[in-house]
Amino acid sequence: MNPLSVVVRTICDIFTWFIGIFGIYIIIHGHMTPGGGFQGGAVVATMMAFLLVSHGGKKTLSFAKPGLYTAMETIGLLVFIGAGLFGITTTFFFNFLAGQGGVFGATVPIGPNSGVLNSAGTISIMNMAVGLEVIGGLSLIILYMFKGIRLFDNAAESGETGHDR
Amino acid sequence: MKKRVLFMIAILVVAGTFWGALDNIHPFGDVPVAPMDDYYIENAQQERSVNNVVTAVVFDYRGFDTLGEAAVLFTAVCSVLALFRKGREGQ
């Protein structure tokens, strides 16, 4: 695909930052507000589709790193399983960090309240792990499906242009 | 003709089953008695120190389910990568 017009590219350059910040906000506030790892990861992965559509394949594929996304996906799943496995002395997926103090172990007041960010124990860690996994996985799917488009494959050889210009 | 009669009978059977199910449906707005729900809502803040009870259920009380979801996503990504990887022509 060819890059879209300069208006689209400028707006995209501004708004990708907001998309990324919003997605990361959803991930790390997963234990306080609606959302969580899956939803926030999907929002961040939208960034990749946004860049591919507006900047075109040649530029985006030059700086996108599939190896990094593969590592993110694998590390996310491993951290998720590890956080579940560490509570194995009680049960699998026991929340051994909740209410113990420390970074993830603050207690919340009982009843309706606005929440404490560094609470929730392993739930917070699992949210971040799943978010990492979803970001990596969905970005990989978008990248590889884009690489699989025949139009883009033949464009370099035959001088064929995309549909948008 | 025979086909049409069979079709009518099938429709009648399905409609009858649906009618019976509708007769038996839970009344709208009536809270069902579920001790598990009450347990989650009352104890999630105290036991797991989470305000979002839905997250407490998804990631803690039913964490094994979420592990399955993450594994499904991982498998989907692996299969997409296997399908779209660069290969030689005709391979």
Side-chain angles (χ1 to χ4, degrees):
Chain A
M1 272 193 263
N2 281 340
L4 292 181
S5 70
V6 70
V7 179
V8 179
R9 274 182 281 148
T10 312
I11 298 295
C12 162
D13 286 347
I14 295 168
F15 272 92
T16 34
W17 298 105
F18 288 108
I19 289 177
I21 290 168
F22 181 59
I24 290 169
Y25 163 81
I26 291 180
I27 291 174
I28 67 176
H29 285 243
H31 56 284
M32 292 160 65
T33 55
F38 287 104
Q39 293 86 353
V43 170
V44 177
T46 312
M47 222 166 79
M48 186 52 67
F50 207 37
L51 286 174
L52 270 175
V53 168
S54 66
H55 278 283
K58 206 171 282 179
K59 190 173 177 188
T60 309
L61 292 182
S62 67
F63 68 82
K65 296 180 182 63
L68 177 69
Y69 299 135
T70 314
M72 275 164 77
E73 195 200 357
T74 317
I75 288 171
L77 192 57
L78 284 178
V79 167
F80 184 79
I81 296 174
L85 210 59
F86 260 99
I88 200 76
T89 49
T90 312
T91 42
F92 196 40
F93 280 98
F94 178 69
N95 197 340
F96 64 101
L97 280 174
Q100 303 291 319
V103 181
F104 293 107
T107 51
V108 291
I110 310 296
N113 60 78
S114 56
V116 184
L117 180 57
N118 53 354
S119 61
T122 52
I123 293 176
S124 190
I125 298 176
M126 282 173 183
N127 259 321
M128 290 179 208
V130 167
L132 209 63
E133 192 205 337
V134 174
I135 292 172
L138 291 188
S139 298
L140 268 182
I141 287 182
I142 293 170
L143 274 179
Y144 271 77
M145 282 197 168
F146 184 79
K147 280 183 188 172
I149 297 177
R150 298 292 293 178
L151 190 67
F152 182 71
D153 260 1
N154 298 334
E157 301 153 18
S158 62
E160 187 182 349
T161 52
H163 58 82
D164 46 24
R165 216 178 255 181
Chain B
M1 191 60 203
K2 197 178 168 191
K3 218 176 195 177
R4 188 166 290 179
V5 168
L6 277 177
F7 194 64
M8 290 296 284
I9 289 172
I11 283 182
L12 279 179
V13 166
V14 171
T17 344
F18 269 115
W19 194 254
L22 272 179
D23 201 34
N24 233 342
I25 204 168
H26 194 81
F28 181 73
D30 193 9
V31 182
V33 181
M36 211 65 198
D37 298 358
D38 296 340
Y39 181 83
Y40 288 152
I41 293 168
E42 278 163 17
N43 294 316
Q45 276 190 319
Q46 196 188 358
E47 283 181 0
R48 309 293 200 240
S49 63
V50 201
N51 273 352
N52 193 344
V53 181
V54 176
T55 311
V57 172
V58 166
F59 279 98
D60 199 310
Y61 293 112
R62 294 278 180 267
F64 201 69
D65 200 9
T66 312
L67 176 65
E69 284 179 37
V72 164
L73 182 75
F74 190 81
T75 317
V77 173
C78 286
S79 48
V80 166
L81 259 61
L83 188 64
F84 281 95
R85 76 191 194 285
K86 281 268 192 284
R88 251 176 279 148
E89 202 69 27
Q91 229 176 4

